[in-house]
Amino acid sequence: MNKSIQSKTIVFIHGLFVTAESWKDWVAFFEEKGYKCYTPSNPYHDITRQQMWDNTPKELEKVDFKDVVDNIANLIDTLPEKPILIGHSLGGLAVQKLVEMGKAEAGICIDGAAPAGIIPTQWSFIKANLPVLNPFKGDSVFKPTKNWWFYAFGNNLTRQESDKAFDDFAVPESRNIPRSTTKSYAKVDFKKPHVPLLFIAGEKDHIIPKGLNKKNFNAYKDKNSKKDFKIFENRGHFICGDKNWKEVANYISEWIK
């Protein structure tokens, strides 16, 4: 329990390959519990899924991780109180950066990407991420396929469930956002005192494996700052949208209280 968390404001930060629409059910869940929720779109993601496929914004080619963080920070600066941040995947890394910047009352990282300097060694990470990071593709926008999505996001789902999730949520994405997470801006000061942090890992996640999540969690060194780690069994990267998402949301709700 976190008696120090008083904020009733939540900012949800979506990851790559989806839009803020992916948080719709989570917003309804937490609004019922009395929270004021915000779901900012990452730069050039503030159109419908179909529009992103039919008329992919050219500007998406140049967007990087700092642009994502600045966009969220600008929203936070307009709020009446420091929010609780809940981020998935790349959004989890944004949570860590914003916590370091003093922009949050608490941070929850769900299958969060790791800060620069934490080296992933798992083969599934390489297999899932290499098509996106491919340096030979220049600044071109990455357009996921259903086969790629099934491996990277939906590997704990049936193929039919994974394909439906793709049709509901998947969008083209900047290659330069994930590429830039290896640069100096994406570093985090792990010795700095921080507000409560919760790291959640999906046991079967391919694109952000549970071992990478644990390495990220272990990197934080301030003994007077609260941090917690939780693995959900039989979950892939689509942990926030599969049929058991409420179990994760309930766990977070109890942790915040």
Side-chain angles (χ1 to χ4, degrees), residues 118-136:
I118 295 183
I119 310 300
T121 57
Q122 297 88 351
W123 166 245
S124 70
F125 174 91
I126 298 167
K127 183 177 178 180
N129 282 282
L130 191 58
V132 187
L133 301 173
N134 188 342
F136 298 106

Side-chain angles (χ1 to χ4, degrees), residues 189-204:
D189 182 357
F190 293 115
K191 296 179 180 179
K192 183 178 180 180
H194 57 81
V195 297
L197 280 171
L198 171 62
F199 292 83
I200 290 176
E203 179 202 10
K204 295 186 176 180

Side-chain angles (χ1 to χ4, degrees), residues 11-16 23 42 65 68-69 72 85-98 108-113 177 237:
V11 174
F12 291 96
I13 308 175
H14 70 84
L16 302 177
W23 287 119
N42 284 350
F65 178 61
V68 172
V69 174
I72 306 296
L85 302 180
I86 301 178
H88 173 250
S89 194
L90 189 279
L93 176 54
V95 166
Q96 292 180 78
K97 191 66 183 178
L98 290 159
I108 296 97
C109 309
I110 307 172
D111 284 343
I177 296 176
H237 201 59

Side-chain angles (χ1 to χ4, degrees), residues 6-20:
Q6 303 298 320
S7 180
K8 297 299 288 184
T9 304
I10 297 177
V11 174
F12 291 96
I13 308 175
H14 70 84
L16 302 177
F17 320 111
V18 298
T19 70

